Amino acid sequence: MEQFEFTEHSHRRYNPLTGDWVLVSPHRTKRPWQGKVEKSGQDNRPLHDPSCYLCPGNERAGGFTNPDYTDVFAFQNDYSALVPDIPDGKYEKKDIFRAESERGFCKVICFSPRHNITIPEMEVPEIKKIVELWCTEYNAMGALDYINHVQIFENKGDIMGCSNPHPHGQIWGQYSIPVEPAKESKMQLDYFSKNGRTLLSDYLEEELELKERVLVENDHFVALVPFWATWPFEAMILSKRPVQNILQLSEEEKESMADAYKKLTVMYDNLFEVSFPYSAGIHQAPTDGQDHPEWHLHMHFYPPLLRSATVKKFMVGYEMMANPQRDITAEQAAQRLNALPKNHYKQN
Ligand SMILES: [Zn+2]
Ligand SMILES: [Zn+2]
């Protein structure tokens, strides 16, 4: 019997943050691909779009008007999925039916007054302003007694269901800890209780020694393709120092985070020479007033593109019924991203 190789043989990989598994089938990358390889259409968006509800000075729903903001801008979502004023409610029947009321609120944050720019095209000091706004909002929302979890996230690209191309993200705060961070909370606490170090500190140490899946390394942050990646070009940005939340970042660390965010998204855009769509979000400690030494700040990037600007990975069939599956290994994905030019393709 030949020896087991990650690059040749199907295997499952464990995600220590969630306890989930992913099936990796590297032999399938040898299948001939007969789909079209094409770039998406030219982007001719204006600097300011009078019909965009996020551009400075424009009118939004409910008669609100955006100020003439010059860098970043946050406002309460005019169509919030969560609202603060909800009566307490609980429904339980047998051990089967359970429901409970949920309070919270949702904000939208504009990354730039410029309608036609994206993160990889912005300068690091401009991106640092976004990190600073995340801090302000995490702090303010987290201080409310009915907010125990603050979810900062970004949906980019119409393929991700993002309805407006203006560069923006969202922040949702809520009473309960939602499913994904709750899994990660438990796994990180188990690890920390046993080892006295954060799970991601020990993980990062291995990755920095191996350098096989690392995409970006600067003074305080690392971007990498996690060993257990499920999306073809999934990545994670994590702090070198085990900080529990963004408020613990120094000025230098905030700049490093902005730098890693830019460099990773430049790689993404260069991969298929298209404004690369993804969902990204920050996982950090709950805002429940407790100390959480087990929590290690990180940001996930889940991009759906597989082979070109238009061929997307679908999480269907086996993925819906069993668990996620991928063809190229995490190492191969990192290799492809690392082989790209470092300048944004539009500047070449
Ligand atoms: Zn706009
Ligand atoms: Zn996470």
Side-chain angles (χ1 to χ4, degrees), residues 47-49 52-56 58 69 113-115 164-167:
L47 186 66
H48 183 276
D49 178 349
C52 169
Y53 65 90
L54 300 176
C55 277
N58 287 358
Y69 64 95
R114 292 170 59 183
H115 184 76
N164 188 330
H166 193 110

Side-chain angles (χ1 to χ4, degrees), residues 80-232:
S80 294
L82 290 158
V83 291
D85 304 316
I86 296 284
D88 280 339
K90 210 170 201 143
Y91 173 75
E92 279 179 10
K93 201 171 179 188
K94 300 190 172 172
D95 283 332
I96 299 171
F97 299 94
R98 285 175 70 183
E100 56 198 28
S101 56
E102 181 71 349
R103 305 172 70 189
F105 72 103
C106 306
K107 291 187 102 166
V108 175
I109 62 170
C110 297
F111 293 163
S112 167
R114 292 170 59 183
H115 184 76
N116 59 355
I117 201 168
T118 60
I119 298 285
E121 298 164 298
M122 288 169 71
E123 301 299 330
V124 173
E126 294 174 310
I127 303 173
K128 185 169 175 254
K129 296 247 183 192
I130 302 171
V131 179
E132 283 161 0
L133 184 62
W134 287 339
C135 291
T136 308
E137 294 297 333
Y138 176 87
N139 189 34
M141 272 198 195
L144 298 168
D145 58 358
Y146 63 93
I147 302 288
N148 294 311
H149 177 77
V150 177
Q151 186 59 58
I152 296 170
F153 67 98
E154 176 192 359
N155 267 343
K156 180 172 172 249
D158 46 13
I159 203 172
M160 299 308 294
C162 180
S163 53
N164 188 330
H166 193 110
H168 72 286
Q170 298 188 56
I171 308 182
W172 292 18
Q174 67 189 96
Y175 181 77
S176 314
I177 310 292
V179 176
E180 293 302 318
K183 283 190 215 171
E184 294 192 0
S185 229
K186 182 187 179 301
M187 299 301 283
Q188 290 181 101
L189 181 59
D190 287 353
Y191 190 93
F192 188 84
S193 310
K194 215 187 282 175
N195 301 286
R197 285 166 58 85
T198 70
L199 167 61
L200 289 179
S201 293
D202 283 353
Y203 172 61
L204 193 56
E205 196 177 288
E206 293 290 321
E207 288 289 2
L208 288 178
E209 201 169 304
L210 260 166
K211 294 267 164 73
E212 210 184 358
R213 287 172 290 265
V214 172
L215 303 172
V216 178
E217 182 186 357
N218 59 28
D219 288 349
H220 305 289
F221 274 80
V222 175
L224 49 79
V225 180
F227 177 72
W228 52 84
T230 62
W231 293 94

Side-chain angles (χ1 to χ4, degrees), residues 184 283 298 300:
E184 294 192 0
H283 278 157
H298 60 279
H300 295 283

Side-chain angles (χ1 to χ4, degrees), residues 212-213 215 225 329-340:
E212 210 184 358
R213 287 172 290 265
L215 303 172
V225 180
T329 63
E331 299 74 49
Q332 288 163 340
Q335 225 169 43
R336 282 197 59 183
L337 290 166
N338 273 322
L340 298 163

